[in-house]
Amino acid sequence: TGPDGASHHGMWDMSILQVVPGLRLAAPRDADQVRAQLREAVAVDDAPTVVRYSKGTVGPAVPAVGRIGGMDVLRAAEESSGAHRADVLVVSVGAMAPMSLEVADLLAAQGITATVVDPRWVKPVDPALPGLAAEHRVVVTIEDNGRVGGVGSTVAQALRDADVDLPVRVFGIPQEFLDHASRDEIMAETGLNAPDIARKVTALVAGLVADRVDA
């Protein structure tokens, strides 16, 4: 949320809601998706639903280029010669979509292919996600929620349950009481910015390539 103090940053809500059996949780990425997912949530008549959106200025619409299961594909990995799998699957949560696309651009500049998907409904995990993840070498999740028990943790568990054995890197907010600050300031202080994330993912992918060469 905005500069409301350490007790009102809204950084644990998705973690808390993950433990509620049967609950469905939507995380719209832009104003168009808020309208669409609110309609979807109201239409659900067999479970409680929550639509989670960020406080602050509404950003531009982020169009999808495709759909896999119930997930919007925001960027499809470019084919690379001789590659059987794309390098990175970026799972973008809610308002993190513009940053996730920026991360993908920075990775592409390093020759790293990336798919970016917005699951839209982050609870339950979309059944198509493990299969999509298996087509990549690394899974990265980006969320403006605490790293403990959040969407990234849930995605990692879903991959383990589906026997998809891949490195998963979770980018989110550290579990601590953060000082009074604006959303942008908090994101910068916690390393939730595209250059920092891209640098860490590049190092991770480079390490996997080095391990494969050594093997």
Side-chain angles (χ1 to χ4, degrees):
T1 63
D4 293 330
S7 63
H8 286 69
H9 283 318
M11 54 175 283
W12 301 315
D13 51 350
M14 289 195 288
S15 299
I16 294 170
L17 292 169
Q18 287 288 352
V19 303
V20 181
L23 181 141
R24 302 182 191 179
L25 173 59
R29 65 181 178 270
D30 56 26
D32 291 344
Q33 286 300 308
V34 169
R35 287 188 286 269
Q37 293 192 258
L38 181 57
R39 288 193 294 268
E40 294 171 21
V42 171
V44 174
D45 60 5
D46 62 348
T49 56
V50 174
V51 179
R52 191 254 197 188
Y53 58 94
S54 299
K55 179 179 177 179
T57 304
V58 177
V62 180
V65 299
R67 176 67 70 91
I68 297 176
M71 301 178 292
D72 279 348
V73 179
L74 306 184
R75 176 184 176 128
E78 297 180 1
E79 295 290 337
S80 56
S81 59
H84 299 291
R85 294 192 293 173
D87 294 313
V88 182
L89 173 63
V90 179
V91 180
S92 172
V93 179
M96 307 304 282
M99 183 186 298
S100 297
L101 290 170
E102 185 180 352
V103 168
D105 287 340
L106 293 171
L107 294 176
Q110 300 296 321
I112 298 173
T113 56
T115 302
V116 181
V117 295
D118 171 11
R120 303 181 73 249
W121 289 87
V122 297
K123 176 179 165 57
V125 173
D126 194 289
L129 183 56
L132 177 62
E135 299 174 5
H136 297 75
R137 294 188 173 90
V138 175
V139 177
V140 170
T141 65
I142 306 176
E143 61 188 298
D144 53 352
N145 183 77
R147 289 198 298 261
V148 177
V151 178
S153 296
T154 306
V155 167
Q157 183 64 57
L159 297 185
R160 290 193 294 269
D161 290 345
D163 294 325
V164 176
D165 186 16
L166 290 174
V168 179
R169 187 66 185 268
V170 175
F171 291 97
I173 301 172
Q175 297 299 120
E176 59 189 57
F177 289 106
L178 302 174
D179 291 336
H180 187 92
S182 70
R183 175 182 170 85
D184 288 344
E185 289 169 335
I186 290 172
M187 301 284 265
E189 290 171 3
T190 57
L192 276 177
N193 59 78
D196 282 350
I197 293 174
R199 184 167 55 253
K200 293 175 181 177
V201 175
T202 298
L204 176 60
V205 173
L208 292 175
V209 172
D211 289 343
R212 188 165 63 249
V213 172
D214 291 341

